[in-house]
Amino acid sequence: MRFHLLALPLAVLAFSPAPRAQEAGSATVVPISVNGDPAARFSLVVMSDGYTAAEMPEYRAHLDKHLNVLWSIEPFRSYRNYINVYSIEIVSDQSGIRCDPDVPGSEKRVTPLGANFQGGCGNPNARGILVNQNTAREYAKRATPAFDQILVITNTDTYGGIGGAVATTSGGNSLGVLITPHELGHSLGRLQDEYTYRERGVPGGPYKGAEPPSVHHTLLTEEQMRAGQNKWFRWLGDESESGGTIGRFEGGQYTTAGIWRPSKHSMMISIGYYFDQVSRERMVQRISEQVNLIAASRTVDSPVPAGDVVWIETAHPNFHELEITWQLNGQTVESGRNLPYLETRGLKLPAGESRVSVTVVDPTPFLRDPEIRNKVLTATRTWTLVNAVGTPKPVEAAFTGSTQTTRPVAGGEVIYVETANPPSRVPNLAWHVNGKPVSRPATARTLPLADLRLAPGTHAVTASITDPAAPGGAGPTLSWVVDNTSPTVNAVLSTPVETKAEADGTPHYVFDEEFTMKLEPSDDQKGYVVAEFRVNGDGWHHYYGWPDAPEGTPYKFTPRGTTIKELVYGSLSSEGLSPQPWEERTPGYGTHRIEYRAIDAAGNIGPAKAFMVTVRPAK
């Protein structure tokens, strides 16, 4: 799929006072996931177009699906806390969008954002969806003036979308949910398309330029990358997150030859797959650049009296902790417990002034470039410590931030809290799981749930401020629901001509020429559940049903795949699920292993199931 930033000559519209709710053009702002100051987060504003007031529940369902697909893909899954999401429910007087090629009579549709299929009415192959970008920006300001990305979900079941800082997608089409992560690869990650064509079905020809600046395209051989320590040399030979091995695959930037990409199929060439490691590393870098690892701290402009507390507040990834190390005059005094406080009381101080410093590092394995880790994923701060007695001040027993309490958290997440920061003493904290105390340092502000090895099921976690100076020795409490139940998924296949079983009990089905598979994921909590599958150990591929077909239509596998609008789907050939239609494909007759699994709204990844399938030529 191809999405580009379009420079459209659209006039700025004058905005009258907002109409009342439920009137055409009215806009209701709904904060979906706000994790910090919009100016210090990647702020995504999603808005509707072409949904009437009566259809707004349908828009909300589409929004839930789009976001849960995004949270199932790394690195968005691990850095969900770094992203703010706002929804703007814009009421349309008319349902649908203009010039929808699959909807007769849509030529005169009028919607608040003017959504329409590119190229004018009467084009049966129209795919680009345009909106008035200036109007969209004016609406986005109602959520936050500091927005970074706009996504317009349009009320159509026809595949379509277009990219850029104002991206569009089709709300009811099975592939619409995958435009968002692909487009964020462009607008946030500065990644380039890896497509080998500009127009579907037409090979792009040879690349004729110099070595591209793109981090995931090159003219170099693997030997040259290793010798010169260039491009993705650190990832060469690794099993790709999008299938196969990280290496050198010809084609990219709309050309078929003379330029190479890291993997056969990744998010930037086939939107059903994950980002490979090279693109994922860049996405981690760019997401991390949107936040400050040290978001706040005790002021460094005034000396700290001996005995006072030095504190910081950090960013908080979802599934791992940042490493926090404290030093006094260059010597480590606190490390390994990742505490955001240093109580200077009890430190052996020399005469005169001392230096207290803290270093925060994000140890994510998603990034291997030490220069990027040092520049972007490392932060330091230093204070002057003096041998002077500070004035004790009472402890304020208050929470100032935390992991969201309004959604279930996954069983492997790291729950965090932030408290008011008194200068002279750290307020103690008590963690409980299902009413039982958890052994944690009293100053710990995080609880890594994976370390608790919780049993499957739902659990209750609380964090309470406990302070002898507070009335009754207690302060406020925060509570979370922990979803530690894996989602499940059921596979429904077309009728085989033969059924048997492998020695380990894995079912084995035999089909003539083709078969279909419908995945039905479910979970014990609310929210859209993502299903995905992989073939013969290749990369996990998002299950979206079948392109340009009614919702619920199963995915079809054939030896060479099925071509729909010049794209191939469901190929069992060794070239992968979605080779280009002009590529030679060895028919995928024979036996294959299909695995499938689900990811729930909290981010839990369920265990994979599998079956064997033999596809043989029709007799």
Side-chain angles (χ1 to χ4, degrees), residues 99-168:
C99 296
D100 191 323
D102 292 346
V103 180
S106 61
E107 295 83 1
K108 296 183 179 180
R109 294 276 167 81
V110 177
T111 60
L113 298 180
N116 66 95
F117 273 88
Q118 185 180 21
C121 299
N123 179 3
N125 295 318
R127 292 185 293 272
I129 298 177
L130 305 179
V131 296
N132 189 312
Q133 297 193 12
N134 291 320
T135 304
R137 292 188 183 97
E138 291 300 321
Y139 272 111
K141 291 175 184 177
R142 301 186 187 188
T144 169
F147 66 86
D148 297 291
Q149 175 75 40
I150 297 171
L151 175 69
V152 181
I153 298 178
T154 62
N155 188 14
T156 176
D157 294 338
T158 305
Y159 173 81
I162 221 160
V166 179
T168 64

Side-chain angles (χ1 to χ4, degrees), residues 281-298:
E281 181 173 57
R282 171 51 63 92
M283 293 301 291
V284 169
Q285 174 189 353
R286 292 289 297 131
I287 290 173
S288 298
E289 287 173 348
Q290 309 303 310
V291 306
N292 296 322
L293 287 188
I294 300 177
S297 73
R298 178 163 181 159

